[in-house]
Amino acid sequence: MRKIITVSREFGSGGRELGKRLAEIFGMNYVDGEIAGAVSEEKSLYETYLSGKYESGIFGYPPSGAHSFSCIGSVNNSAMMIARQHKIIREIAARTDCVIIGRGASAVLNEFKPFRIFVYADMPSKIARCRSRADGGEDLSDKQIERKIKSIDGARKKTHELYAAYGWGDKAGYDLCINTSGADIARVAEITAEYASEYFKRNSVQGE
Amino acid sequence: MRKIITVSREFGSGGRELGKRLAEIFGMNYVDGEIAGAVSEEKSLYETYLSGKYESGIFGYPPSGAHSFSCIGSVNNSAMMIARQHKIIREIAARTDCVIIGRGASAVLNEFKPFRIFVYADMPSKIARCRSRADGGEDLSDKQIERKIKSIDGARKKTHELYAAYGWGDKAGYDLCINTSGADIARVAEITAEYASEYFKRNSVQGE
C-alpha cells in the first residue's frame, strides 16, 4: 500500500517545514514546487520530477528556499493548469511514497488514501514566522504582512474550491488539523508522524 | 500553571472515550455530566463536583454510561442554564487540573489556556460507533441513527454559537482537530497526550 502524506496549510503556519520533516522521518520524497515547474515547462512530469531541478513555480517560492511576498501576482488559476497539476500529482503518487505540499493533493488523491494534514495558526504566530524567514520582507509592517497572508490564503481557498468536495481548511476533508501557534515544528513533526504511522497501519490492514 | 484539556466532539466520534483516556494518562479529573447535574439541582458546584454523584444530566447520558438516543428532547438552551454551566466550568478549572467534555469549555476557559481538542469522524464511522455502544438503540436503522446524530450535533452547534467567538467545530477555536474515522481511540489518546504535553510545557515556560 502506497504511503502518501498531503500537507495543506495557511501561509506562515509552518506547514512546509512540517512536510519536510515528515518526509525526512519517513524517508519519503518531498514534493512541492516541482509540480508547478512541470506545468509551466510543459514537460512530462516524471521526467521533471526525477530531474529535481524545479524548486520554484507558479504558486511557489524563489529557488533559494527563502520566501518573498511577491508570488501571489503570478497565480494563474486556469482550468488547464489545475488539470495538469492534478495529473502530475496522481502520476507522482502512483510511483512513489511521498509528502506533497498543497496543490490540492488532499482532494485529488482519494484513491491512494493519503494521510491529509491541515496546518494553521493564529495571525500573530503567522506574522512572526513570516518575519523570521522572510528575505526582502523585513521592511513590511505587520499589517502589510497580514494582508499578504490573507491574500495568498484567499487565492489557495479559491483554487481549492474549484474542484474539491470540501472547502479549503474544512476539517471534514482532513485527517488531522494542527494549530501550530507558538509550537516547535520539529516536535510537532515527531508526534504527527506517530498519527500518520497509525493511519498507514490501519489502512494496510484494511487493504489486505 | 493549571493543566486543562477540553474535548469538543461530534456525537459518535469517540470524543468521550478519548477524554476519559486522556484524564487517565495525565491523572486528571474527568468532568462531564456532573456539570449539567449541578445546574439542574441548583447546588453549589464544587459540592456537587466533589460528591461525584451526578453522572447523567440535561445534555447527558443515562447513569449506566450506556448511550440512548433519547437525550436530545430534554436539551434546554436557556441563557440562564448556559450561564450557570459556564460559572461551574470556571469554578472547576480554577480548582483542579481536568479534562472537560463539551459544555462550551473550549470557549469559556480562555484565561486558563486549555488544550482544546475537537474530535470528528465520517458518518459511517459515527454510526458504527453508536451501534457498538448503544443500549436500546439496536432496532434503529442507519438512517435513523444518522438523523439522531445530526440532531444532537445541531443542538450542540446552536448552543455553542450563542456565546462562542468561533463556530462549533471551526478549527480556529481549537488546538488540535482529530478525525477518528476507523481509529483506535486508545492509541489516539496516547499520541494526543504527547501534543498536550508539548502544549503545557510551552505555556508553562511562557507563564514563568
Side-chain angles (χ1 to χ4, degrees):
Chain A
M1 180 91 193
R2 179 71 63 229
K3 290 188 179 79
I4 314 260
I5 297 174
T6 66
V7 181
S8 312
R9 74 291 184 221
E10 292 178 352
F11 192 84
S13 67
R16 267 182 117 214
E17 183 188 341
L18 176 63
K20 275 187 185 162
R21 289 183 181 274
L22 287 170
E24 272 168 34
I25 291 170
F26 284 104
M28 286 175 175
N29 291 300
Y30 172 81
V31 180
D32 190 359
E34 63 270 26
I35 296 172
V39 171
S40 63
E41 295 282 324
E42 296 285 332
K43 282 209 178 184
S44 110
L45 154 63
Y46 199 59
E47 182 191 339
T48 306
Y49 177 62
L50 287 181
S51 77
K53 70 179 193 186
Y54 294 95
E55 295 196 20
S56 65
I58 291 165
F59 283 84
Y61 307 100
S64 70
H67 291 240
S68 81
F69 292 114
S70 61
C71 55
I72 190 65
S74 58
V75 170
N76 171 3
N77 289 336
S78 78
M80 177 75 88
M81 195 189 75
I82 292 171
R84 270 189 62 86
Q85 283 207 12
H86 291 175
K87 183 162 177 280
I88 288 169
I89 287 167
R90 283 198 198 88
E91 284 180 40
I92 293 176
R95 289 174 190 252
T96 180
D97 290 353
C98 57
V99 177
I100 306 183
I101 308 296
R103 273 86 191 175
S106 68
V108 166
L109 296 179
N110 259 344
E111 72 266 37
F112 296 98
K113 293 189 191 265
F115 184 67
R116 302 158 302 170
I117 301 169
F118 192 92
V119 186
Y120 62 107
D122 59 29
M123 191 53 77
S125 303
K126 290 190 286 193
I127 291 172
R129 197 177 295 275
C130 286
R131 233 178 235 304
S132 73
R133 71 184 184 190
D135 227 35
E138 296 82 350
D139 52 341
L140 295 177
S141 70
D142 281 3
K143 269 285 155 225
Q144 286 173 310
I145 296 177
E146 181 171 341
R147 263 201 300 277
K148 291 287 182 185
I149 290 173
K150 286 183 175 166
S151 162
I152 291 169
D153 283 349
R156 286 176 179 170
K157 185 176 158 71
K158 254 192 194 156
T159 309
H160 185 88
E161 292 173 1
L162 288 173
Y163 52 83
Y166 296 103
W168 182 77
D170 172 353
K171 65 185 184 313
Y174 306 93
D175 299 296
L176 195 65
C177 302
I178 309 167
N179 185 336
T180 56
S181 305
D184 171 27
I185 300 291
R187 187 71 188 110
V188 168
E190 287 169 2
I191 307 172
T192 303
E194 293 187 56
Y195 269 111
S197 293
E198 279 299 307
Y199 179 88
F200 293 137
K201 212 185 295 173
R202 205 152 79 221
N203 280 342
S204 77
V205 170
Q206 287 170 354
E208 266 164 17
Chain B
M1 180 90 193
R2 179 70 65 229
K3 290 189 179 80
I4 313 259
I5 296 175
T6 67
V7 182
S8 313
R9 74 291 183 221
E10 291 178 354
F11 192 84
S13 66
R16 268 181 116 214
E17 183 189 340
L18 176 62
K20 276 186 185 161
R21 289 184 181 274
L22 287 170
E24 273 168 32
I25 291 170
F26 284 103
M28 285 175 175
N29 291 300
Y30 172 81
V31 179
D32 189 358
E34 63 268 27
I35 296 173
V39 171
S40 63
E41 295 281 325
E42 297 287 333
K43 283 209 178 187
S44 108
L45 151 63
Y46 200 58
E47 182 191 339
T48 306
Y49 177 62
L50 287 181
S51 79
K53 72 180 194 186
Y54 294 96
E55 296 195 20
S56 65
I58 291 165
F59 283 85
Y61 307 101
S64 69
H67 292 239
S68 82
F69 293 113
S70 59
C71 54
I72 189 65
S74 58
V75 171
N76 172 3
N77 289 335
S78 78
M80 176 75 86
M81 194 188 78
I82 291 171
R84 271 188 62 86
Q85 284 206 12
H86 291 175
K87 183 161 176 280
I88 288 169
I89 287 168
R90 282 199 199 89
E91 283 180 39
I92 294 177
R95 289 173 189 254
T96 181
D97 290 352
C98 57
V99 177
I100 306 183
I101 308 296
R103 272 87 189 172
S106 68
V108 166
L109 296 178
N110 259 344
E111 72 265 37
F112 297 97
K113 294 189 190 263
F115 185 67
R116 303 158 301 169
I117 301 170
F118 192 92
V119 186
Y120 62 107
D122 59 28
M123 191 52 78
S125 303
K126 291 190 286 192
I127 291 173
R129 197 177 295 273
C130 286
R131 233 177 235 304
S132 73
R133 71 184 185 190
D135 226 37
E138 296 82 350
D139 52 343
L140 295 178
S141 70
D142 281 2
K143 271 282 155 226
Q144 286 172 309
I145 295 177
E146 180 171 341
R147 264 201 300 278
K148 290 288 183 185
I149 290 173
K150 285 183 175 166
S151 163
I152 291 169
D153 284 349
R156 286 176 179 170
K157 185 178 159 70
K158 255 193 195 155
T159 309
H160 185 88
E161 291 174 2
L162 288 174
Y163 52 83
Y166 296 103
W168 181 77
D170 172 353
K171 67 186 183 314
Y174 306 92
D175 300 294
L176 196 65
C177 302
I178 309 167
N179 186 336
T180 56
S181 304
D184 171 27
I185 301 290
R187 187 71 188 110
V188 169
E190 287 168 3
I191 307 172
T192 303
E194 293 187 55
Y195 270 111
S197 293
E198 278 298 308
Y199 179 87
F200 292 137
K201 214 184 295 172
R202 205 153 76 221
N203 280 342
S204 77
V205 170
Q206 286 170 355
E208 266 164 18

